[in-house]
Amino acid sequence: MISNVTKNKKLLDDLIITCRNNLPSVNIELITKAFELSLEAHKNDSRASGEPYFTHPYEVAMIVAKEIPLDDISVVSALLHDVIEDSDFDLSFISKEFGKEVAEIVDGVTKIGGIFKGQEISQAENYRKMLLSMVKDIRVILVKFADRLHNMRTLEFVNPDKQRRIAQETLEIYAPFSHRFGLAKVKWELEDLAFKYLNKEAYEDLVRKIKNKRKERESYIARFTAPIIEKLKEHKIEFEISGRPKHLYSIYRKMIKRNKPFEEIYDLFAVRIIIESNDTNECYYVLGIVNSIYTPVPDRFKDYISIPKTNNYQSIHTTVIDSQGRMVEVQIRTNKMHEVAEKGVAAHWKYKENKFTSDSNLENWVNWIRDVFESASKDEASKELLASFKLNLYQDEIYIFTPKGDLRRLPVNSTPVDFAFEIHSKVGYHCIGAKVNGKIVPLDTPLHSGDQVDIITSKNQHPNKSWMLFVKTHKAKAAIRRWINKEEEQLVETGKDIWEKKLKKYKLTYNNDDVTKFANSQKYENSIQLFKAIALDKVNLDDLLLPKKDKEVKEETKELEFDNFATIARTDAGAILIDGSNQNVKYSFAKCCNPIPGDPIVGYITIGEGIKIHRKTCTDLINSVKKGGDRLVPVQWPTADDSLFVAGISIVGEDSPGILKDISHSITSYHDTNIKSVNITANNSMFKGAITLYVKNLDHLSRIVERLKKNKGIYSVERFDSTTSG
Ligand code: MN
């Protein structure tokens, strides 16, 4: 027991020393607490190697502290990265004890881990983007790299199936990913380890060959570098020079790509000169020295200092030929460039913390981060992004698994319907429900990255107009619209059929204009809309096509307006002349015939109600008169100075720009007829108008009515009159 305590104390001390050596600041208390919690949480578990499980989070924390050093929060998160999954401690506990940042990183690492479980990787690029879309803190990715690196280093203990799966995943997802982050060293190690498990024979063959060649290589490198070293010393340049073999996987890849045996992969010999000072100019100075000793190969020169790679890699690459005609690649870079190349983001971070960087370098770093993720973050927010480690990548995209484990990319807030159309339009057209991660959900449920979606279809299901309200993809929208249009075409056809049958039934003939007028009278924009309504049984043609009924409907509206008009016209005309003069006798207008100015009239003397003014043609009056003929009195409309009276016209037509102008022109251009009032109401594409105007007599009025009827788009023009029916 005591030995365990001592051992653990030593482990913790080592970790803290490593942190102190590599990190800008170290919260010893927090690291100690995380160390102890991790120890406790994993105390009953062991690894495939038989070691206590705790060795894993501990080694991951060591990698984070030493190999991709960023900050102490990352180290704490690394210690705790498997706690949630493997113990009863939950996220809120971690948040309470270690702060929100640590909790979020641990949560992120756990979630990423869950995504890959049991999935065949078929679209690596989509996987990487999905990862990024889920990760909001750079440190999540770094801890995940460290986690993966340690798992790869200890992969020999797990079964061969799992070895292959993890190695494949590493090669396709994590290695290219670490390259994007500029973590060259991590990338090489991940690739070589993956290579080892995916192609053991080739790997071991290469290892053997390199070992055999080591002596030869080392002595060659010594001979090659000797004159360079001498010159550099002469010029008092502080440097490190190394002849390094390229990492195994890249040699292997080159052999395959160029179809050449190991021996012929010429740049197996590569020399790297790292300059101690951070003066970029010295790199070019050194280049000059190398070129003065060996002959450069012109088209093999690359200046990544002036034009850094997208992952911000900086270095000069030149290939030279020695006296025996052997080509050697020489890389020249400053110490800082080297660190950036090897440690990527972490190195940048270190320089930032140490105030190594000026603001413009900081800006470059931010730009680089953007390039890395291929997606621009919100411009001015870049500094905040840097300060908070926050990422905002691919936030407008989500990645969804098919039941077979394929990944489909969709816009954020996409629904099962979008997903269904993404798979196939047939699936979309017939989707009736969806299972998301095994649970049935409504079709408008927003999906999230990493969801697995299984669409349920039914032959009887068809797209619904309401789907348009929630689908997000262009594909789904276009397909649904297409279906709706097709469905509408069929509706119109059906409606037209019914319409024509009804016309036959009532022995009616309608030309195109008539159909449009009819549609308008029913408040449909055009015949297409009418046919659709007919097909949907919204229009009762039997009722409407009966001529009598049609008239009754018209009358109703007219009467309403008539009362109003009659009052205006009568008031305007002035007091009725009774028996030739303006007498102070009480009179009123008979409701039975409703005379209006211009009508020939006669007075009927009643008992108690004074004189009733009737039209001369009123049948009620004629009947009354038959009973006692002596009660009539001659009356007439007063004659104004210019002998005009107010008449009313009701007018119905197609609402179009300029229609009002046409109407008033028709009236006023006829003998300077004056308009008293115009009242137009439009409904859909129809308008209904009530016009009052001054006319000399009924003849004058009927001429104007005729003129109005000639206007295009006018359906009916009638004098206001309550008695036309009957
Ligand atoms: Mn782990």
Side-chain angles (χ1 to χ4, degrees):
M1 282 317 261
I2 285 170
S3 78
N4 258 353
V5 170
T6 321
K7 211 176 111 200
N8 289 336
K9 174 88 177 66
K10 167 100 173 50
L11 287 175
L12 178 60
D13 286 347
D14 283 354
L15 180 61
I16 287 169
I17 289 164
T18 308
C19 286
R20 275 194 174 141
N21 288 340
N22 294 285
L23 303 178
S25 70
V26 184
N27 185 335
I28 293 172
E29 202 188 320
L30 203 67
I31 289 173
T32 306
K33 202 159 90 175
F35 181 95
E36 278 161 4
L37 179 68
S38 183
L39 201 57
E40 170 67 20
H42 300 298
K43 68 179 174 193
N44 295 324
D45 297 321
S46 55
R47 304 204 81 211
S49 61
E51 286 179 296
Y53 192 88
F54 174 71
T55 54
H56 169 63
Y58 177 79
E59 288 303 330
V60 174
M62 279 299 249
I63 291 169
V64 170
K66 190 163 64 190
E67 296 177 52
I68 38 178
L70 199 60
D71 67 350
D72 49 3
I73 293 292
S74 307
V75 174
V76 168
S77 305
L79 283 167
L80 302 175
H81 83 271
D82 279 333
V83 161
I84 299 290
E85 221 173 342
D86 296 347
S87 76
D88 292 335
F89 297 106
D90 64 3
L91 214 55
S92 64
F93 176 78
I94 295 208
S95 182
K96 204 176 77 206
E97 293 294 314
F98 298 92
K100 222 178 133 205
E101 264 184 310
V102 172
E104 278 175 5
I105 297 168
V106 170
D107 187 38
V109 176
T110 309
K111 273 191 185 139
I112 288 180
I115 284 294
F116 295 102
K117 285 216 170 105
Q119 298 286 1
E120 281 290 326
I121 295 159
S122 49
Q123 301 138 293
E125 182 60 23
N126 274 346
Y127 267 87
R128 290 195 290 269
K129 284 186 175 169
M130 175 175 69
L131 272 187
L132 286 177
S133 77
M134 297 172 75
V135 168
K136 290 174 186 70
D137 188 320
I138 290 177
R139 292 171 293 187
V140 171
I141 295 171
L142 293 183
V143 173
K144 191 65 203 170
F145 282 149
D147 179 39
R148 179 49 56 114
L149 193 54
H150 185 246
N151 283 334
M152 285 303 289
R153 283 174 184 174
T154 53
L155 200 59
E156 60 189 295
F157 301 104
V158 307
N159 67 56
D161 265 4
K162 199 174 174 188
Q163 279 179 350
R164 278 198 74 82
R165 190 172 63 74
I166 297 206
Q168 191 78 36
E169 197 180 279
T170 300
L171 196 62
E172 288 180 9
I173 308 285
Y174 290 98
F177 215 27
S178 53
H179 176 69
R180 290 266 185 79
F181 275 80
L183 296 161
K185 238 180 135 181
V186 172
K187 182 202 169 205
W188 292 338
E189 191 176 346
L190 288 177
E191 280 184 348
D192 280 358
L193 286 167
F195 175 41
K196 180 174 161 186
Y197 291 100
L198 289 172
N199 196 340
K200 233 178 183 98
E201 270 177 44
Y203 176 85
E204 279 165 3
D205 184 48
L206 266 187
V207 170
R208 205 170 41 244
K209 280 176 173 159
I210 285 173
K211 207 173 157 194
N212 289 344
K213 292 254 174 189
R214 179 179 285 158
K215 263 229 156 86
E216 189 188 322
R217 190 183 67 236
E218 279 171 359
S219 70
Y220 175 76
I221 293 290
R223 256 182 293 136
F224 178 85
T225 53
I228 299 174
I229 291 170
E230 195 184 331
K231 269 269 164 66
L232 291 178
K233 278 182 177 163
E234 240 174 66
H235 287 87
K236 301 217 165 22
I237 291 169
E238 281 189 58
F239 66 94
E240 250 177 65
I241 194 162
S242 61
R244 55 181 187 103
K246 288 229 164 183
H247 72 292
L248 295 170
Y249 186 63
S250 88
I251 294 169
Y252 174 71
R253 231 177 9 208
K254 270 196 178 140
M255 286 164 58
I256 301 281
K257 207 171 132 196
R258 297 181 190 170
N259 197 21
K260 279 184 177 169
F262 168 78
E263 288 73 17
E264 282 182 41
I265 299 302
Y266 63 90
D267 54 358
L268 208 51
F269 289 105
V271 168
R272 184 180 290 149
I273 302 167
I274 298 163
I275 293 155
E276 280 304 318
S277 101
N278 277 325
D279 183 0
T280 304
N281 290 329
E282 272 194 14
C283 295
Y284 295 99
Y285 195 58
V286 171
L287 174 67
I289 289 169
V290 172
N291 285 349
S292 71
I293 299 167
Y294 298 107
T295 312
V297 181
D299 61 344
R300 298 272 305 165
F301 174 75
K302 286 190 187 100
D303 182 359
Y304 294 120
I305 291 180
S306 310
I307 305 162
K309 286 190 183 179
T310 50
N311 66 4
N312 216 33
Y313 173 85
Q314 282 189 300
S315 189
I316 285 171
H317 291 191
T318 183
T319 300
V320 296
I321 303 177
D322 70 3
S323 48
Q324 283 100 52
R326 195 170 204 167
M327 290 205 279
V328 178
E329 188 186 73
V330 180
Q331 299 181 350
I332 304 162
R333 57 177 77 151
T334 66
N335 201 23
K336 184 181 152 190
M337 289 171 193
H338 182 61
E339 211 167 327
V340 168
E342 304 257 290
K343 291 175 184 170
V345 180
H348 280 284
W349 198 255
K350 177 185 158 189
Y351 282 106
K352 191 226 165 204
E353 288 296 312
N354 292 344
K355 308 257 184 278
F356 250 91
T357 28
S358 68
D359 270 359
S360 74
N361 280 343
L362 200 67
E363 207 61 61
N364 286 340
W365 186 78
V366 172
N367 284 336
W368 169 67
I369 283 280
R370 285 188 195 164
D371 287 344
V372 168
F373 302 122
E374 295 173 338
S375 143
S377 59
K378 304 274 149 50
D379 29 293
E380 276 314 300
S382 52
K383 274 185 186 160
E384 281 151 53
L385 164 118
L386 183 64
S388 64
F389 293 93
K390 291 290 178 234
L391 299 177
N392 187 20
L393 312 160
Y394 304 111
Q395 295 295 303
D396 45 2
E397 292 172 359
I398 54 172
Y399 294 84
I400 304 298
F401 287 108
T402 67
K404 284 181 184 162
D406 284 346
L407 267 180
R408 299 296 168 115
R409 186 175 70 184
L410 291 168
V412 72
N413 288 329
S414 285
T415 62
V417 175
D418 292 294
F419 180 74
F421 277 105
E422 193 60 34
I423 290 174
H424 197 283
S425 56
K426 268 188 195 157
V427 179
Y429 283 141
H430 299 298
C431 76
I432 195 165
K435 269 193 224 165
V436 173
N437 305 323
K439 238 176 82 188
I440 294 200
V441 301
L443 284 175
D444 61 352
T445 309
L447 300 173
H448 302 286
S449 249
D451 280 348
Q452 185 169 52
V453 180
D454 194 356
I455 297 293
I456 305 160
T457 58
S458 156
K459 272 184 191 161
N460 300 322
Q461 170 79 339
H462 296 296
N464 188 311
K465 236 178 193 167
S466 69
W467 290 2
M468 290 299 274
L469 298 174
F470 58 75
V471 293
K472 290 288 176 293
T473 60
H474 178 71
K475 212 178 194 172
K477 277 182 188 163
I480 295 167
R481 210 174 287 129
R482 233 180 0 255
W483 199 90
I484 290 171
N485 287 344
K486 214 171 123 194
E487 195 191 33
E488 286 193 348
E489 264 170 44
Q490 279 164 357
L491 270 182
V492 171
E493 280 301 307
T494 312
K496 204 174 169 191
D497 264 13
I498 297 173
W499 165 257
E500 276 161 4
K501 275 178 193 149
K502 292 286 180 193
L503 286 186
K504 251 185 207 162
K505 182 179 165 190
Y506 293 110
K507 299 193 171 52
L508 295 166
T509 43
Y510 275 62
N511 63 23
N512 283 347
D513 277 357
D514 294 337
V515 182
T516 308
K517 278 181 194 173
F518 181 82
N520 292 156
S521 75
Q522 299 306 313
K523 304 207 161 47
Y524 294 107
E525 258 177 60
N526 48 42
S527 52
I528 302 280
Q529 300 296 329
L530 173 71
F531 293 150
K532 235 160 64 186
I534 292 170
L536 294 170
D537 217 10
K538 284 183 187 164
V539 180
N540 189 339
L541 285 179
D542 288 317
D543 267 7
L544 293 170
L545 291 174
L546 276 170
K548 200 181 152 212
K549 290 252 178 185
D550 192 27
K551 250 184 188 164
E552 276 174 10
V553 172
K554 269 187 176 175
E555 238 62 75
E556 253 171 46
T557 47
K558 209 179 288 164
E559 266 164 20
L560 276 173
E561 290 154 358
F562 178 80
D563 282 346
N564 203 9
F565 163 72
T567 312
I568 295 167
R570 288 164 185 160
T571 312
D572 191 82
I576 293 281
L577 298 177
I578 296 169
D579 210 358
S581 65
N582 198 343
Q583 296 181 16
N584 196 11
V585 177
K586 192 182 163 202
Y587 68 88
S588 59
F589 293 95
K591 290 265 188 285
C592 50
C593 59
N594 258 319
I596 47 173
D599 287 331
I601 46 174
V602 64
Y604 181 73
I605 303 158
T606 65
I607 302 157
E609 285 184 75
I611 296 170
K612 283 271 181 200
I613 311 293
H614 286 264
R615 297 191 188 205
K616 278 188 174 162
T617 54
C618 176
T619 39
D620 279 10
L621 174 75
I622 290 163
N623 288 336
S624 306
V625 169
K626 275 179 186 160
K627 289 169 195 161
D630 54 349
R631 303 172 77 176
L632 293 177
V633 59
V635 294
Q636 64 188 119
W637 298 103
T639 321
D641 298 341
D642 43 6
S643 54
L644 291 174
F645 67 89
V646 175
I649 290 171
S650 87
I651 186 163
V652 179
E654 192 179 10
D655 192 17
S656 63
I659 190 76
L660 197 59
K661 213 179 113 213
D662 291 348
I663 291 168
S664 20
H665 185 256
S666 298
I667 297 169
T668 54
S669 66
Y670 183 78
H671 293 293
D672 289 330
T673 304
N674 281 318
I675 295 173
K676 181 174 161 65
S677 72
V678 178
N679 187 2
I680 301 263
T681 51
N683 190 357
N684 291 329
S685 58
M686 289 275 287
F687 81 86
K688 243 157 92 182
I691 298 165
T692 54
L693 65 167
Y694 295 96
V695 293
K696 287 195 188 97
N697 48 43
L698 287 177
D699 184 52
H700 181 180
L701 181 61
S702 57
R703 276 167 200 277
I704 285 178
V705 167
E706 287 315 307
R707 284 173 71 94
L708 283 170
K709 278 182 177 167
K710 283 181 186 143
N711 281 312
K712 213 177 135 237
I714 301 292
Y715 303 141
S716 83
V717 184
E718 273 165 280
R719 181 189 167 201
F720 267 135
D721 197 333
S722 68
T723 54
T724 27
S725 67

